[in-house]
Amino acid sequence: MDSPFGLLAELTYRCPLACAYCSNPLNMADYTDELTTAEWQRVLVEAADLGVLQCHLSGGEPLLRRDVVEIVAAANGLGLYTNLVTSALGLSRPKAEQLRAAGLDHVQVSIQADEQAVSDRIAGTPSFRRKIEAMALVKELGWPLTVNVVLHRQNIDRIADVLGLAEEVGADRVELANTQYYGWAWRNRDALLPSRAQLEAAEVVVRAARERLRDRMDVIYVIPDYYSRYPKPCMGGWAARQLTVTPNGDVLPCPAAQSLPLPRANVRDAALAWIWADSPVMTAFRGTDWMPDPCRSCDRRELDFGGCRCQAFQLTGDAARTDPVCHLSPDHDLVVDAVRAANGERPIDLVLVPRPHR
């Protein structure tokens, strides 16, 4: 594609939760100089001009931005489909009604588990009851509701009950996404990576739920990369379909790319159109010319694009290497060893984020 269709607008990395699987950057101090309302409005105009159709408002917790209603109204005025990705803490009735009036199209609420004590422990703060109340409010106001659950060793055994909760709150869509190992999730990988037996049991439950709920609720299930034979395609190709704008205005091809040693491109310094088309951060791994073997000679090179550049860097220190998830990668033993550890005896205590993001 010549232009992106999706914009992930990370309005702030501040968050009231302290989830041990958080994939946001560890160096939070680098993102405290957040874009102003006017700067976000300009970014949205440039994104629409570039061809963007969908705007996902995320974080951190986007509701901590006092101007979130203004940002939604600006996106709506440009004809963008808007999706609020939220913990739902802070989604009071007055705020929800303002967002509805501003034209917000969709709400995605994250939950950590189906039961209060477990959910609150994983979130690092009491939050479960407020999430349930907020989801009821979302449905009352007529929004489509997606329930998002990050799965890991600590909650995947509860997947049937999680699906039951999603059905109970009237979700139109549920995303069961196994943890991606970046940020705090990387630090906690040994406590988060599920066993093969857990995954096999979960897949049986998901298949049955898809069949039972096929006319009422979409059930999306994403297995952990580490258990795949081939890697996932990197956002449909590096800088091919979507872009991310971070709270301080850095533009990235995916939310995890902050960790890569690439030149920064920022909306305060350059137009979004130039950043998308020509900036080094966007062109570094676009297409297939950059690929080493075995990717270069693989007939899957335009299906999975060599896998995840951030994961390759996380595991090997070299973003240009074949994603070690791939069974053809010369570094595949790194993943094999992690999977072996997940299926053996070892401590499983979580190391929570030391403090809630303020």
Side-chain angles (χ1 to χ4, degrees):
M1 297 181 68
D2 294 327
S3 61
F5 69 79
L7 166 67
L8 178 63
E10 296 183 319
L11 302 184
T12 181
Y13 285 143
R14 291 172 287 145
C15 183
L17 305 185
C19 304
Y21 55 77
C22 183
S23 59
N24 281 342
L26 303 183
N27 53 328
M28 299 293 291
D30 291 351
Y31 299 92
T32 55
D33 184 18
E34 297 176 358
L35 296 180
T36 65
T37 308
E39 286 173 324
W40 272 117
Q41 290 169 334
R42 175 174 57 80
V43 167
L44 293 172
V45 169
E46 293 185 17
D49 289 344
L50 192 56
V52 166
L53 301 174
Q54 300 175 357
C55 177
H56 304 275
L57 304 165
S58 182
E61 175 47 68
L63 290 173
L64 289 176
R65 287 281 303 219
R66 295 181 178 179
D67 57 357
V68 65
V69 173
E70 294 174 72
I71 292 171
V72 168
N76 177 258
L78 293 165
L80 301 179
Y81 183 90
T82 51
N83 174 34
L84 180 70
V85 184
T86 176
S87 70
L89 274 67
L91 190 62
S92 63
R93 179 174 292 274
K95 179 67 72 176
E97 290 175 346
Q98 291 170 9
L99 289 166
R100 197 77 177 97
L104 182 68
D105 293 298
H106 185 277
V107 179
Q108 177 174 320
V109 176
S110 66
I111 62 171
Q112 284 67 40
D114 63 286
E115 193 273 328
Q116 182 172 359
V118 178
S119 180
D120 290 349
R121 175 176 60 82
I122 294 172
T125 190
S127 54
F128 180 78
R129 287 298 170 197
R130 283 183 284 174
K131 289 173 179 286
I132 299 299
E133 293 167 1
M135 287 189 284
L137 179 59
V138 167
K139 295 302 294 183
E140 178 188 333
L141 293 180
W143 275 305
L145 170 65
T146 292
V147 172
N148 174 264
V149 189
V150 177
L151 296 175
H152 44 78
R153 192 179 186 92
Q154 307 289 321
N155 67 1
I156 195 168
D157 296 331
R158 309 180 68 95
I159 198 167
D161 293 324
V162 166
L163 283 162
L165 176 62
E167 187 178 3
E168 182 182 331
V169 299
D172 301 281
R173 187 170 185 267
V174 59
E175 293 185 0
L176 305 167
N178 273 276
T179 303
Q180 301 292 308
Y181 295 103
Y182 313 113
W184 283 103
W186 170 253
R187 295 282 184 94
N188 281 302
R189 187 185 68 176
D190 288 346
L192 294 171
L193 187 62
S195 69
R196 193 176 300 277
Q198 286 181 302
L199 285 174
E200 290 173 352
E203 287 169 8
V204 170
V205 173
V206 170
R207 281 197 299 270
R210 279 177 171 163
E211 179 64 23
R212 182 173 60 83
L213 299 169
R214 65 179 184 273
D215 296 326
R216 287 181 285 153
M217 185 170 71
D218 290 332
V219 179
I220 312 301
Y221 179 64
V222 182
I223 68 170
D225 292 355
Y226 283 41
Y227 285 92
S228 300
R229 184 170 173 81
Y230 297 103
K232 67 178 184 293
C234 184
M235 304 293 289
W238 181 272
R241 299 179 180 180
Q242 302 185 57
L243 55 82
T244 295
V245 178
T246 67
N248 70 339
D250 285 346
V251 184
L252 301 167
C254 79
Q258 299 102 331
S259 62
L260 302 185
L262 293 171
R264 289 290 184 250
N266 193 287
V267 295
R268 286 169 166 157
D269 303 321
L272 196 61
W274 177 85
I275 294 173
W276 173 258
D278 297 314
S279 67
V281 69
M282 290 294 177
T283 59
F285 302 111
R286 183 178 274 154
T288 60
D289 290 345
W290 62 271
M291 289 182 176
D293 277 325
C295 296
R296 181 181 293 274
S297 55
C298 181
D299 59 7
R300 291 180 56 87
R301 64 186 176 277
E302 293 186 5
L303 295 176
D304 57 38
F305 305 99
C308 177
R309 299 300 87 224
C310 303
Q311 190 157 258
F313 180 74
Q314 187 82 74
L315 289 168
T316 73
D318 183 355
R321 290 185 73 81
T322 299
D323 187 338
V325 161
C326 182
H327 73 287
L328 300 173
S329 166
D331 304 303
H332 186 57
D333 283 350
L334 295 171
V335 171
V336 171
D337 289 345
V339 169
R340 284 174 177 161
N343 287 276
E345 295 295 328
R346 47 129 169 89
I348 60 171
D349 290 339
L350 290 171
V351 179
L352 291 175
V353 177
R355 55 173 179 78
H357 304 157
R358 291 178 296 174

mmCIF file of all heavy atoms in Angstrom, residues 264-306:
data_model
loop_
_atom_site.group_PDB
_atom_site.id
_atom_site.type_symbol
_atom_site.label_atom_id
_atom_site.label_comp_id
_atom_site.label_asym_id
_atom_site.label_seq_id
_atom_site.Cartn_x
_atom_site.Cartn_y
_atom_site.Cartn_z
ATOM 1 N N ARG A 264 15.123 8.919 14.968
ATOM 2 C CA ARG A 264 13.771 9.319 15.302
ATOM 3 C C ARG A 264 13.216 10.285 14.247
ATOM 4 O O ARG A 264 13.934 11.090 13.680
ATOM 5 C CB ARG A 264 13.730 9.983 16.683
ATOM 6 C CG ARG A 264 13.964 8.989 17.823
ATOM 7 C CD ARG A 264 12.766 8.062 17.952
ATOM 8 N NE ARG A 264 12.880 7.148 19.080
ATOM 9 C CZ ARG A 264 13.078 5.846 18.977
ATOM 10 N NH1 ARG A 264 13.222 5.304 17.773
ATOM 11 N NH2 ARG A 264 13.133 5.071 20.035
ATOM 12 N N ALA A 265 11.891 10.186 14.051
ATOM 13 C CA ALA A 265 11.172 11.144 13.210
ATOM 14 C C ALA A 265 9.992 11.636 14.031
ATOM 15 O O ALA A 265 9.225 10.831 14.568
ATOM 16 C CB ALA A 265 10.694 10.479 11.927
ATOM 17 N N ASN A 266 9.837 12.950 14.127
ATOM 18 C CA ASN A 266 8.853 13.525 15.032
ATOM 19 C C ASN A 266 7.969 14.522 14.296
ATOM 20 O O ASN A 266 8.457 15.297 13.453
ATOM 21 C CB ASN A 266 9.568 14.210 16.207
ATOM 22 C CG ASN A 266 8.623 14.546 17.349
ATOM 23 O OD1 ASN A 266 7.814 15.463 17.262
ATOM 24 N ND2 ASN A 266 8.722 13.787 18.440
ATOM 25 N N VAL A 267 6.676 14.520 14.630
ATOM 26 C CA VAL A 267 5.737 15.409 13.945
ATOM 27 C C VAL A 267 6.001 16.870 14.265
ATOM 28 O O VAL A 267 5.496 17.758 13.567
ATOM 29 C CB VAL A 267 4.285 15.052 14.300
ATOM 30 C CG1 VAL A 267 3.924 13.669 13.785
ATOM 31 C CG2 VAL A 267 4.030 15.161 15.806
ATOM 32 N N ARG A 268 6.780 17.147 15.306
ATOM 33 C CA ARG A 268 7.134 18.530 15.603
ATOM 34 C C ARG A 268 8.228 19.049 14.676
ATOM 35 O O ARG A 268 8.459 20.256 14.598
ATOM 36 C CB ARG A 268 7.596 18.643 17.056
ATOM 37 C CG ARG A 268 6.451 18.550 18.057
ATOM 38 C CD ARG A 268 6.938 18.405 19.473
ATOM 39 N NE ARG A 268 5.865 18.636 20.448
ATOM 40 C CZ ARG A 268 5.858 18.188 21.681
ATOM 41 N NH1 ARG A 268 6.877 17.455 22.126
ATOM 42 N NH2 ARG A 268 4.844 18.444 22.496
ATOM 43 N N ASP A 269 8.888 18.129 13.982
ATOM 44 C CA ASP A 269 10.017 18.513 13.133
ATOM 45 C C ASP A 269 9.754 18.330 11.645
ATOM 46 O O ASP A 269 10.455 18.922 10.815
ATOM 47 C CB ASP A 269 11.248 17.666 13.499
ATOM 48 C CG ASP A 269 11.625 17.782 14.962
ATOM 49 O OD1 ASP A 269 11.530 18.904 15.507
ATOM 50 O OD2 ASP A 269 11.984 16.751 15.569
ATOM 51 N N ALA A 270 8.775 17.501 11.286
ATOM 52 C CA ALA A 270 8.562 17.195 9.871
ATOM 53 C C ALA A 270 7.105 16.848 9.627
ATOM 54 O O ALA A 270 6.374 16.460 10.546
ATOM 55 C CB ALA A 270 9.455 16.028 9.445
ATOM 56 N N ALA A 271 6.690 16.970 8.382
ATOM 57 C CA ALA A 271 5.321 16.632 7.996
ATOM 58 C C ALA A 271 5.132 15.121 8.031
ATOM 59 O O ALA A 271 6.046 14.351 7.707
ATOM 60 C CB ALA A 271 5.028 17.168 6.596
ATOM 61 N N LEU A 272 3.938 14.711 8.395
ATOM 62 C CA LEU A 272 3.650 13.290 8.501
ATOM 63 C C LEU A 272 3.819 12.579 7.161
ATOM 64 O O LEU A 272 4.288 11.441 7.104
ATOM 65 C CB LEU A 272 2.232 13.089 9.035
ATOM 66 C CG LEU A 272 1.876 11.699 9.566
ATOM 67 C CD1 LEU A 272 2.769 11.314 10.732
ATOM 68 C CD2 LEU A 272 0.407 11.667 10.003
ATOM 69 N N ALA A 273 3.472 13.242 6.074
ATOM 70 C CA ALA A 273 3.602 12.626 4.750
ATOM 71 C C ALA A 273 5.057 12.302 4.439
ATOM 72 O O ALA A 273 5.371 11.228 3.901
ATOM 73 C CB ALA A 273 3.020 13.547 3.680
ATOM 74 N N TRP A 274 5.971 13.217 4.763
ATOM 75 C CA TRP A 274 7.398 12.944 4.519
ATOM 76 C C TRP A 274 7.888 11.820 5.434
ATOM 77 O O TRP A 274 8.625 10.934 4.993
ATOM 78 C CB TRP A 274 8.239 14.194 4.759
ATOM 79 C CG TRP A 274 9.706 13.893 4.582
ATOM 80 C CD1 TRP A 274 10.413 13.899 3.416
ATOM 81 C CD2 TRP A 274 10.625 13.483 5.612
ATOM 82 N NE1 TRP A 274 11.717 13.518 3.643
ATOM 83 C CE2 TRP A 274 11.875 13.259 4.977
ATOM 84 C CE3 TRP A 274 10.522 13.283 6.987
ATOM 85 C CZ2 TRP A 274 13.005 12.852 5.693
ATOM 86 C CZ3 TRP A 274 11.639 12.881 7.688
ATOM 87 C CH2 TRP A 274 12.868 12.661 7.045
ATOM 88 N N ILE A 275 7.469 11.878 6.694
ATOM 89 C CA ILE A 275 7.897 10.833 7.630
ATOM 90 C C ILE A 275 7.465 9.464 7.110
ATOM 91 O O ILE A 275 8.253 8.518 7.095
ATOM 92 C CB ILE A 275 7.325 11.091 9.035
ATOM 93 C CG1 ILE A 275 7.933 12.372 9.636
ATOM 94 C CG2 ILE A 275 7.591 9.897 9.959
ATOM 95 C CD1 ILE A 275 7.304 12.791 10.953
ATOM 96 N N TRP A 276 6.221 9.348 6.681
ATOM 97 C CA TRP A 276 5.713 8.067 6.195
ATOM 98 C C TRP A 276 6.484 7.587 4.963
ATOM 99 O O TRP A 276 6.866 6.421 4.870
ATOM 100 C CB TRP A 276 4.223 8.181 5.869
ATOM 101 C CG TRP A 276 3.674 6.951 5.207
ATOM 102 C CD1 TRP A 276 3.407 6.775 3.882
ATOM 103 C CD2 TRP A 276 3.365 5.705 5.839
ATOM 104 N NE1 TRP A 276 2.943 5.516 3.642
ATOM 105 C CE2 TRP A 276 2.901 4.830 4.832
ATOM 106 C CE3 TRP A 276 3.413 5.247 7.155
ATOM 107 C CZ2 TRP A 276 2.498 3.517 5.093
ATOM 108 C CZ3 TRP A 276 3.007 3.946 7.419
ATOM 109 C CH2 TRP A 276 2.565 3.098 6.407
ATOM 110 N N ALA A 277 6.716 8.480 4.029
ATOM 111 C CA ALA A 277 7.297 8.070 2.743
ATOM 112 C C ALA A 277 8.806 7.926 2.778
ATOM 113 O O ALA A 277 9.349 6.995 2.159
ATOM 114 C CB ALA A 277 6.901 9.079 1.657
ATOM 115 N N ASP A 278 9.498 8.804 3.512
ATOM 116 C CA ASP A 278 10.937 8.910 3.316
ATOM 117 C C ASP A 278 11.811 8.837 4.559
ATOM 118 O O ASP A 278 13.034 8.728 4.442
ATOM 119 C CB ASP A 278 11.256 10.231 2.600
ATOM 120 C CG ASP A 278 10.637 10.305 1.214
ATOM 121 O OD1 ASP A 278 10.756 9.316 0.468
ATOM 122 O OD2 ASP A 278 10.025 11.341 0.885
ATOM 123 N N SER A 279 11.259 8.907 5.750
ATOM 124 C CA SER A 279 12.118 8.933 6.936
ATOM 125 C C SER A 279 12.810 7.586 7.121
ATOM 126 O O SER A 279 12.240 6.534 6.820
ATOM 127 C CB SER A 279 11.307 9.283 8.179
ATOM 128 O OG SER A 279 10.385 8.243 8.481
ATOM 129 N N PRO A 280 14.034 7.598 7.632
ATOM 130 C CA PRO A 280 14.769 6.340 7.830
ATOM 131 C C PRO A 280 14.046 5.332 8.712
ATOM 132 O O PRO A 280 14.133 4.124 8.479
ATOM 133 C CB PRO A 280 16.079 6.802 8.473
ATOM 134 C CG PRO A 280 16.275 8.193 7.970
ATOM 135 C CD PRO A 280 14.896 8.774 7.887
ATOM 136 N N VAL A 281 13.314 5.807 9.727
ATOM 137 C CA VAL A 281 12.628 4.862 10.607
ATOM 138 C C VAL A 281 11.543 4.092 9.855
ATOM 139 O O VAL A 281 11.246 2.934 10.170
ATOM 140 C CB VAL A 281 12.037 5.580 11.842
ATOM 141 C CG1 VAL A 281 10.869 6.481 11.469
ATOM 142 C CG2 VAL A 281 11.617 4.575 12.911
ATOM 143 N N MET A 282 10.968 4.713 8.827
ATOM 144 C CA MET A 282 9.915 4.049 8.061
ATOM 145 C C MET A 282 10.467 3.208 6.912
ATOM 146 O O MET A 282 9.860 2.211 6.514
ATOM 147 C CB MET A 282 8.926 5.081 7.512
ATOM 148 C CG MET A 282 8.078 5.720 8.578
ATOM 149 S SD MET A 282 6.953 4.536 9.383
ATOM 150 C CE MET A 282 6.192 5.564 10.617
ATOM 151 N N THR A 283 11.586 3.595 6.371
ATOM 152 C CA THR A 283 12.127 2.882 5.205
ATOM 153 C C THR A 283 13.099 1.771 5.582
ATOM 154 O O THR A 283 13.466 0.958 4.726
ATOM 155 C CB THR A 283 12.833 3.858 4.255
ATOM 156 O OG1 THR A 283 13.904 4.521 4.953
ATOM 157 C CG2 THR A 283 11.852 4.904 3.726
ATOM 158 N N ALA A 284 13.520 1.709 6.848
ATOM 159 C CA ALA A 284 14.586 0.780 7.258
ATOM 160 C C ALA A 284 14.294 -0.670 6.874
ATOM 161 O O ALA A 284 15.184 -1.379 6.384
ATOM 162 C CB ALA A 284 14.812 0.893 8.764
ATOM 163 N N PHE A 285 13.053 -1.118 7.086
ATOM 164 C CA PHE A 285 12.710 -2.524 6.828
ATOM 165 C C PHE A 285 11.465 -2.649 5.954
ATOM 166 O O PHE A 285 10.789 -3.665 5.981
ATOM 167 C CB PHE A 285 12.504 -3.261 8.157
ATOM 168 C CG PHE A 285 13.705 -3.201 9.062
ATOM 169 C CD1 PHE A 285 13.666 -2.464 10.238
ATOM 170 C CD2 PHE A 285 14.880 -3.858 8.729
ATOM 171 C CE1 PHE A 285 14.776 -2.394 11.073
ATOM 172 C CE2 PHE A 285 15.996 -3.794 9.552
ATOM 173 C CZ PHE A 285 15.944 -3.063 10.728
ATOM 174 N N ARG A 286 11.190 -1.604 5.185
ATOM 175 C CA ARG A 286 10.043 -1.657 4.278
ATOM 176 C C ARG A 286 10.380 -2.548 3.082
ATOM 177 O O ARG A 286 11.487 -2.501 2.562
ATOM 178 C CB ARG A 286 9.676 -0.250 3.831
ATOM 179 C CG ARG A 286 8.445 -0.154 2.941
ATOM 180 C CD ARG A 286 8.147 1.293 2.596
ATOM 181 N NE ARG A 286 7.326 1.952 3.600
ATOM 182 C CZ ARG A 286 7.316 3.268 3.823
ATOM 183 N NH1 ARG A 286 8.138 4.053 3.155
ATOM 184 N NH2 ARG A 286 6.507 3.784 4.732
ATOM 185 N N GLY A 287 9.420 -3.370 2.678
ATOM 186 C CA GLY A 287 9.659 -4.255 1.547
ATOM 187 C C GLY A 287 10.497 -5.463 1.939
ATOM 188 O O GLY A 287 10.466 -5.930 3.079
ATOM 189 N N THR A 288 11.282 -5.959 0.997
ATOM 190 C CA THR A 288 12.059 -7.188 1.224
ATOM 191 C C THR A 288 13.541 -7.044 0.908
ATOM 192 O O THR A 288 14.307 -7.980 1.152
ATOM 193 C CB THR A 288 11.475 -8.336 0.374
ATOM 194 O OG1 THR A 288 11.531 -7.974 -1.014
ATOM 195 C CG2 THR A 288 10.023 -8.632 0.759
ATOM 196 N N ASP A 289 13.975 -5.913 0.370
ATOM 197 C CA ASP A 289 15.375 -5.788 -0.057
ATOM 198 C C ASP A 289 16.357 -5.886 1.102
ATOM 199 O O ASP A 289 17.519 -6.272 0.915
ATOM 200 C CB ASP A 289 15.595 -4.458 -0.797
ATOM 201 C CG ASP A 289 14.917 -4.433 -2.152
ATOM 202 O OD1 ASP A 289 14.524 -5.522 -2.629
ATOM 203 O OD2 ASP A 289 14.765 -3.331 -2.721
ATOM 204 N N TRP A 290 15.925 -5.533 2.317
ATOM 205 C CA TRP A 290 16.810 -5.520 3.484
ATOM 206 C C TRP A 290 17.103 -6.919 4.021
ATOM 207 O O TRP A 290 18.016 -7.104 4.823
ATOM 208 C CB TRP A 290 16.157 -4.712 4.617
ATOM 209 C CG TRP A 290 14.864 -5.319 5.059
ATOM 210 C CD1 TRP A 290 13.628 -5.066 4.560
ATOM 211 C CD2 TRP A 290 14.673 -6.319 6.077
ATOM 212 N NE1 TRP A 290 12.668 -5.830 5.188
ATOM 213 C CE2 TRP A 290 13.289 -6.611 6.117
ATOM 214 C CE3 TRP A 290 15.526 -6.992 6.935
ATOM 215 C CZ2 TRP A 290 12.749 -7.548 6.997
ATOM 216 C CZ3 TRP A 290 14.995 -7.924 7.812
ATOM 217 C CH2 TRP A 290 13.628 -8.192 7.838
ATOM 218 N N MET A 291 16.350 -7.910 3.573
ATOM 219 C CA MET A 291 16.349 -9.210 4.235
ATOM 220 C C MET A 291 17.647 -9.983 4.050
ATOM 221 O O MET A 291 18.191 -10.047 2.951
ATOM 222 C CB MET A 291 15.195 -10.068 3.689
ATOM 223 C CG MET A 291 13.828 -9.612 4.106
ATOM 224 S SD MET A 291 12.567 -10.733 3.437
ATOM 225 C CE MET A 291 11.092 -10.011 4.180
ATOM 226 N N PRO A 292 18.124 -10.630 5.115
ATOM 227 C CA PRO A 292 19.201 -11.607 5.000
ATOM 228 C C PRO A 292 18.601 -12.977 4.690
ATOM 229 O O PRO A 292 17.387 -13.170 4.763
ATOM 230 C CB PRO A 292 19.821 -11.603 6.399
ATOM 231 C CG PRO A 292 18.622 -11.362 7.298
ATOM 232 C CD PRO A 292 17.701 -10.436 6.520
ATOM 233 N N ASP A 293 19.434 -13.937 4.369
ATOM 234 C CA ASP A 293 18.964 -15.314 4.326
ATOM 235 C C ASP A 293 18.799 -15.810 5.766
ATOM 236 O O ASP A 293 19.519 -15.347 6.657
ATOM 237 C CB ASP A 293 19.980 -16.195 3.575
ATOM 238 C CG ASP A 293 19.788 -16.113 2.061
ATOM 239 O OD1 ASP A 293 18.613 -15.988 1.643
ATOM 240 O OD2 ASP A 293 20.788 -16.142 1.335
ATOM 241 N N PRO A 294 17.847 -16.689 6.041
ATOM 242 C CA PRO A 294 17.036 -17.447 5.083
ATOM 243 C C PRO A 294 15.814 -16.718 4.556
ATOM 244 O O PRO A 294 15.135 -17.223 3.669
ATOM 245 C CB PRO A 294 16.611 -18.666 5.896
ATOM 246 C CG PRO A 294 16.512 -18.147 7.294
ATOM 247 C CD PRO A 294 17.642 -17.166 7.429
ATOM 248 N N CYS A 295 15.517 -15.512 5.058
ATOM 249 C CA CYS A 295 14.323 -14.798 4.590
ATOM 250 C C CYS A 295 14.412 -14.454 3.098
ATOM 251 O O CYS A 295 13.429 -14.600 2.362
ATOM 252 C CB CYS A 295 14.132 -13.514 5.389
ATOM 253 S SG CYS A 295 13.816 -13.765 7.139
ATOM 254 N N ARG A 296 15.578 -13.988 2.667
ATOM 255 C CA ARG A 296 15.721 -13.509 1.292
ATOM 256 C C ARG A 296 15.337 -14.574 0.270
ATOM 257 O O ARG A 296 14.734 -14.265 -0.770
ATOM 258 C CB ARG A 296 17.159 -13.030 1.055
ATOM 259 C CG ARG A 296 17.405 -12.481 -0.345
ATOM 260 C CD ARG A 296 18.860 -12.050 -0.486
ATOM 261 N NE ARG A 296 19.147 -10.897 0.362
ATOM 262 C CZ ARG A 296 18.939 -9.644 0.007
ATOM 263 N NH1 ARG A 296 18.428 -9.377 -1.186
ATOM 264 N NH2 ARG A 296 19.236 -8.663 0.819
ATOM 265 N N SER A 297 15.665 -15.807 0.544
ATOM 266 C CA SER A 297 15.398 -16.883 -0.409
ATOM 267 C C SER A 297 14.156 -17.702 -0.058
ATOM 268 O O SER A 297 13.888 -18.734 -0.682
ATOM 269 C CB SER A 297 16.610 -17.818 -0.488
ATOM 270 O OG SER A 297 16.949 -18.298 0.807
ATOM 271 N N CYS A 298 13.363 -17.232 0.913
ATOM 272 C CA CYS A 298 12.199 -17.981 1.385
ATOM 273 C C CYS A 298 10.953 -17.559 0.596
ATOM 274 O O CYS A 298 10.735 -16.355 0.356
ATOM 275 C CB CYS A 298 11.982 -17.725 2.877
ATOM 276 S SG CYS A 298 10.575 -18.629 3.574
ATOM 277 N N ASP A 299 10.125 -18.531 0.233
ATOM 278 C CA ASP A 299 8.921 -18.181 -0.521
ATOM 279 C C ASP A 299 7.841 -17.565 0.360
ATOM 280 O O ASP A 299 6.774 -17.174 -0.143
ATOM 281 C CB ASP A 299 8.374 -19.396 -1.268
ATOM 282 C CG ASP A 299 8.013 -20.566 -0.350
ATOM 283 O OD1 ASP A 299 8.072 -20.392 0.879
ATOM 284 O OD2 ASP A 299 7.700 -21.648 -0.887
ATOM 285 N N ARG A 300 8.089 -17.427 1.659
ATOM 286 C CA ARG A 300 7.163 -16.754 2.568
ATOM 287 C C ARG A 300 7.569 -15.302 2.839
ATOM 288 O O ARG A 300 6.950 -14.628 3.665
ATOM 289 C CB ARG A 300 7.090 -17.500 3.906
ATOM 290 C CG ARG A 300 6.426 -18.863 3.830
ATOM 291 C CD ARG A 300 6.398 -19.529 5.212
ATOM 292 N NE ARG A 300 5.739 -18.694 6.200
ATOM 293 C CZ ARG A 300 4.428 -18.686 6.431
ATOM 294 N NH1 ARG A 300 3.629 -19.473 5.728
ATOM 295 N NH2 ARG A 300 3.908 -17.902 7.365
ATOM 296 N N ARG A 301 8.578 -14.823 2.142
ATOM 297 C CA ARG A 301 9.128 -13.512 2.503
ATOM 298 C C ARG A 301 8.120 -12.369 2.348
ATOM 299 O O ARG A 301 8.235 -11.341 3.024
ATOM 300 C CB ARG A 301 10.390 -13.212 1.692
ATOM 301 C CG ARG A 301 10.179 -13.095 0.193
ATOM 302 C CD ARG A 301 11.528 -12.935 -0.522
ATOM 303 N NE ARG A 301 11.380 -12.915 -1.973
ATOM 304 C CZ ARG A 301 11.291 -14.003 -2.732
ATOM 305 N NH1 ARG A 301 11.336 -15.199 -2.161
ATOM 306 N NH2 ARG A 301 11.142 -13.905 -4.033
ATOM 307 N N GLU A 302 7.124 -12.530 1.464
ATOM 308 C CA GLU A 302 6.106 -11.496 1.318
ATOM 309 C C GLU A 302 4.807 -11.884 2.021
ATOM 310 O O GLU A 302 3.778 -11.248 1.825
ATOM 311 C CB GLU A 302 5.862 -11.201 -0.160
ATOM 312 C CG GLU A 302 7.082 -10.553 -0.815
ATOM 313 C CD GLU A 302 6.829 -10.110 -2.242
ATOM 314 O OE1 GLU A 302 5.673 -10.229 -2.695
ATOM 315 O OE2 GLU A 302 7.773 -9.629 -2.888
ATOM 316 N N LEU A 303 4.875 -12.919 2.856
ATOM 317 C CA LEU A 303 3.749 -13.292 3.714
ATOM 318 C C LEU A 303 3.994 -12.865 5.154
ATOM 319 O O LEU A 303 3.113 -12.296 5.801
ATOM 320 C CB LEU A 303 3.513 -14.805 3.665
ATOM 321 C CG LEU A 303 3.077 -15.387 2.321
ATOM 322 C CD1 LEU A 303 2.993 -16.898 2.409
ATOM 323 C CD2 LEU A 303 1.736 -14.801 1.903
ATOM 324 N N ASP A 304 5.207 -13.142 5.662
ATOM 325 C CA ASP A 304 5.496 -12.749 7.048
ATOM 326 C C ASP A 304 6.595 -11.690 7.145
ATOM 327 O O ASP A 304 6.917 -11.237 8.233
ATOM 328 C CB ASP A 304 5.832 -13.959 7.917
ATOM 329 C CG ASP A 304 7.001 -14.783 7.383
ATOM 330 O OD1 ASP A 304 7.964 -14.191 6.857
ATOM 331 O OD2 ASP A 304 6.953 -16.013 7.499
ATOM 332 N N PHE A 305 7.175 -11.296 6.005
ATOM 333 C CA PHE A 305 8.116 -10.168 5.959
ATOM 334 C C PHE A 305 9.284 -10.307 6.931
ATOM 335 O O PHE A 305 9.789 -9.329 7.473
ATOM 336 C CB PHE A 305 7.372 -8.848 6.207
ATOM 337 C CG PHE A 305 6.219 -8.630 5.280
ATOM 338 C CD1 PHE A 305 4.922 -8.903 5.682
ATOM 339 C CD2 PHE A 305 6.427 -8.193 3.979
ATOM 340 C CE1 PHE A 305 3.845 -8.738 4.823
ATOM 341 C CE2 PHE A 305 5.357 -8.022 3.107
ATOM 342 C CZ PHE A 305 4.069 -8.290 3.529
ATOM 343 N N GLY A 306 9.700 -11.546 7.152
ATOM 344 C CA GLY A 306 10.818 -11.779 8.061
ATOM 345 C C GLY A 306 10.441 -11.759 9.520
ATOM 346 O O GLY A 306 11.299 -11.896 10.390
#
